[in-house]
Structure formats: structure tokens, C-alpha cells
Amino acid sequence: MINYKSLVYLSILIGLFLASCHNSQQQTIDAAAYHNPLIQPLTDELTKDPDNPQLLYQRSLALIQVEAPDLAKKDLIHALKKDSNNLQYLYTLSQVDLQSGNNAQAIKNLEELVRLSHHAPAIRLALAKAYIKNNQAEPATQNIRDLLKNDSAYPGALFTLAQIQLIKKDTNRAVNILHRSLWLRKDDYPASLLLAECLAAQHNPKAIDIYRETFDMDTSDVTPLLHIGSFYEQQKQIEKAKSIYRECLLKDPDCTIALINTGKILLDQDSVPKALRQFNIAIQTRPNSVEAYTQKGICFERLHQKDSAKTAFAQALVFDPHSEAARKGWQRNRTK
């Protein structure tokens, strides 16, 4: 039987380690991954017992961690051949397919899982999310509605339904659904954050109160405060935005986004040396920040230091060769 409590963990694990995978990277991965230090002990065990489905499953999870989804999928398929009744294996396979962009196959497997699990809500919710990723709003909606018929307060269901409404560009309905979700669970962080974002998109000042309430749910995460700063910037309340970014940095001194946003405000206010200081600190917190190096280059341009500007833009291009802003900045400061 599938262990439903582990589904969230599996989804996070797979998402974390597959989100940055690209096809070109996957093509370079071969059987050498089986001998990665993380995986070698499982490979050794499988040499002795090559058809052990549990060992194959464990190695598939390890292969996910070293960004070898194709090999993980191979092990999962092998495990399913040996233990076709293990729904955990099929669920994990669906998540690997989903995160690898093979949405159609993931949906097919999840539809089968819904049937085999007798419409277990966790599986139906996963199916709805898969439909969303495949831009299929209607079947996603139907799955959530079927889920809610049996459990009107199932965690994550209303949040997912609100996401579907946003795909349909019906922000008002999404707001109503999120209010309902928070009425049922006042500590629902994702729903609270999404509600604030919806209100902010409508230029509704109530968004600030909701962002504050969201931050109070988890004061270790300054994301809601950053959103308040952005909201104030959009409303042209620049000093309030600066104040919020200072608050972010008091809570999290390594908050790169707050440093960059503060620097950009200072740059707009012609406080170039102060802005440059912010971007330098941002680079210390995130040495591969393309945005920080690009803004640093702009500061040097304003200070008429072309060589330093060119160097900063060149460093930004090292981290992202496709950055249009960095490329144009480098071209502007080439020695003619």
C-alpha cells in the first residue's frame, strides 16, 4: 500500500533536485552515476540481488538527488515489473516524469493511481496539479471538485482550485476561494501569500495587511515583506519601500533581493556610491548574482569608470551568457 504521508516529501525531494535539470545535462549522464559515492552502496547491493524492487526504488531516489532522472526512471520501471502492486513506485515514477517535462505520461500514471487507490485524495490532488502543469484547466478543476465533494477542507485542494482560477484569469473568484481556504485553516501560509499577491495585482492596499499576517506565520521567511516593498514601489511610495527593505535586512542580513532593490532605488535617486555599496554587499551574499553584477556595472557607468563597468558586465555574462542587459552594458563600454 502507498504511504500517503510520504507523498509531500517525495514531491519536494524530486522537485528540488530535478528543477534545474536540462536535456543537455541529462544526455551527458551515463552509467557512471551508479558509482557516485551516494549510490555506490546500493549499486553493490543490487549486484548481488539485481531484481530487488525495494533496492531499485531506494536507488531511484538517490539517482534523483544526483540529477540522473533517466536512470532513476529506469530503476523505477524495473521495480514496478517486479512489484506491480506497489503504488509508491508508480507515484514516484509519475513525479519524475512530471518534473522532467513528460507531462502526458505523468498524467496517465496518476490517472491509473487514482483508480488503483480508490480515488485517494492525495493522489487526486497530485493529478490536478499535473493537469495544471500541462495547461489543462478543465480536467484539473473537475478533479478538485470531485475531491472537495468528499472532503471540503482537504489541505491544498482550495489553494489548487484558486491557482486554476488564476490560470483562467479570474482573479476575483480566486480571491473568494482563498478567503474560504483561510477561513478553514487560518495558518495556511501558501493560501495567505497567494491571496496577498492577488490583492496586490488588483492594487488593493489590503494586500499589505495580508502580507503582514503571512509573515507572522513564519518570521524566518521575509518573502512577504519583500512583496510589500515591491507593492510600495509600484505605488510610487519609495521611502516606504526603502523602509520595508531595511526591515527585511534586519530580519535577514543576507537577503540579496532586498539589497538589490535598495540599490536600484538609490541609483534612481542618483545616490550612486550608496547604490554601489548595496550591490557589492549583494554580491557577497550571492556571488553568482547576475542582477547584482549588472547593476554594479551600471553604477560604474554613472561614475564614468568604463573599465570597471566592462569588468562587472563581463562577470555577469559569465554567470548568464544570455543576459541581454549585461551584454548591452558590456558592448557600451568596449574600448573603441
Side-chain angles (χ1 to χ4, degrees), residues 8-160:
V8 173
Y9 167 76
L10 276 172
S11 298
I12 293 172
L13 173 69
I14 292 167
L16 284 173
F17 292 103
L18 291 186
S20 62
C21 283
H22 301 286
N23 290 335
S24 60
Q25 291 176 314
Q26 293 175 7
Q27 291 170 357
T28 64
I29 297 172
D30 56 21
Y34 292 134
H35 304 292
N36 180 288
L38 179 67
I39 296 164
Q40 185 70 60
L42 291 166
T43 298
D44 291 342
E45 290 294 321
L46 282 163
T47 301
K48 303 172 189 175
D49 189 5
D51 293 328
N52 186 312
Q54 189 58 33
L55 285 174
L56 287 163
Y57 175 67
Q58 289 174 5
R59 189 170 70 171
S60 74
L61 296 181
L63 286 165
I64 288 167
Q65 292 189 51
V66 299
E67 299 184 359
D70 291 341
L71 298 180
K73 183 173 180 177
K74 183 178 178 181
D75 275 358
L76 287 165
I77 291 172
H78 190 176
L80 279 165
K81 286 180 180 178
K82 298 302 175 182
D83 185 3
S84 59
N85 294 321
N86 193 309
L87 305 190
Q88 192 82 54
Y89 301 167
L90 187 57
Y91 174 81
T92 306
L93 178 60
S94 74
Q95 297 305 293
V96 170
D97 277 328
L98 197 61
Q99 294 295 338
S100 298
N102 193 1
N103 298 340
Q105 185 59 50
I107 288 170
K108 181 179 178 181
N109 287 336
L110 286 166
E111 286 175 339
E112 178 67 5
L113 271 170
V114 167
R115 184 184 69 80
L116 293 172
S117 65
H118 305 289
H119 303 273
I123 302 299
R124 192 173 281 286
L125 181 60
L127 176 58
K129 291 179 178 179
Y131 277 127
I132 290 173
K133 187 166 185 181
N134 208 40
N135 296 313
Q136 293 178 260
E138 291 310 317
T141 303
Q142 188 58 53
N143 270 276
I144 292 297
R145 285 176 177 167
D146 289 343
L147 191 164
L148 289 169
K149 284 178 185 177
N150 296 318
D151 187 348
S152 61
Y154 190 80
L158 288 172
F159 175 78
T160 304

